[in-house]
Amino acid sequence: DDSISVQAKTVNDGNSPFQVLVSPAEPAPAYMTASGEGLRTGVYKSDAQFVVQSRDKFSNEIRDGPLSEVQIIETSSSSQIGGYFEVSMFGSSVRVDASAFTSELEKSLQSIPGVGALTVSSNSAKDLVVGKTVTVTKGLDTIVPSEELADFVVGDWIRIGDQDEGPLFSITEMADVA
């Protein structure tokens, strides 16, 4: 039963009428709505836009935000990714290089008015490179591989240590291994 009842108990006599603040409940995906031309006229390799309205289980609009949420932007390619993508929020857009590192994407997103503190992470760079090691020196921003990393190019990401949780780095320059 989704009916609402209110009970009041007088704790201290005071002036009436009393003000009551009513807030929406937690977001409920089953009640959220989407609208806009992009839902009806999407065309392959073309921009399509639509708006998602968060609602609670009583269909109340949720206007507060941003709430703690996860947004997934996924890109993939069988070769090195080129070009750019755009992210739009709160009526503003940023253009981001397709091979941007997590810190660059984070900085771009934070430039959008109304976006608060955020963290950009990645599940990428999990292919295990077997038989090669790197030397890492604390305080330096370079790594020295045990042999040439022919499968990598500038702009690729590399994860060092644990395949799932190790720190992620962007390859910004490559030199021949001596």
Side-chain angles (χ1 to χ4, degrees):
D1 180 18
D2 288 338
S3 62
I4 298 174
S5 63
V6 176
Q7 295 179 343
K9 176 181 169 185
T10 302
V11 176
N12 291 320
D13 290 331
N15 298 326
S16 69
F18 298 101
Q19 293 184 349
V20 176
L21 174 65
V22 179
S23 297
E26 292 296 312
Y31 293 88
M32 293 182 186
T33 59
S35 61
E37 280 298 306
L39 295 172
R40 294 180 287 285
T41 60
V43 176
Y44 177 68
K45 288 194 171 185
S46 297
D47 290 342
Q49 298 179 1
F50 60 93
V51 175
V52 175
Q53 175 61 60
S54 294
R55 295 182 181 272
D56 66 12
K57 68 180 183 177
F58 304 105
S59 295
N60 295 315
E61 289 184 4
I62 298 176
R63 296 174 186 247
D64 296 336
L67 302 173
S68 293
E69 58 187 52
V70 174
Q71 297 292 329
I72 298 173
I73 300 172
E74 187 172 317
T75 58
S76 64
S77 174
S78 59
S79 60
Q80 187 171 7
I81 295 176
Y84 67 91
F85 61 94
E86 286 187 355
V87 178
S88 298
M89 296 176 70
F90 309 123
S92 295
S93 297
V94 291
R95 182 178 285 196
V96 182
D97 186 77
S99 62
F101 191 56
T102 54
S103 58
E104 296 166 299
L105 178 56
E106 195 169 282
K107 185 176 179 180
S108 293
L109 293 174
Q110 287 176 328
S111 74
I112 298 174
V115 173
L118 58 90
T119 301
V120 174
S121 61
S122 174
N123 288 326
S124 296
K126 291 193 177 190
D127 294 338
L128 186 60
V129 179
V130 178
K132 298 180 184 181
T133 60
V134 294
T135 302
V136 179
T137 304
K138 184 177 181 175
L140 297 180
D141 60 358
T142 54
I143 63 171
V144 179
S146 60
E147 60 185 271
E148 184 179 358
L149 299 176
D151 296 335
F152 293 91
V153 296
V154 170
D156 281 348
W157 295 357
I158 187 168
R159 191 176 299 274
I160 297 177
D162 183 271
Q163 189 175 352
D164 294 318
E165 300 295 327
L168 187 65
F169 298 90
S170 178
I171 299 173
T172 59
E173 181 181 333
M174 292 183 71
D176 292 334
V177 176

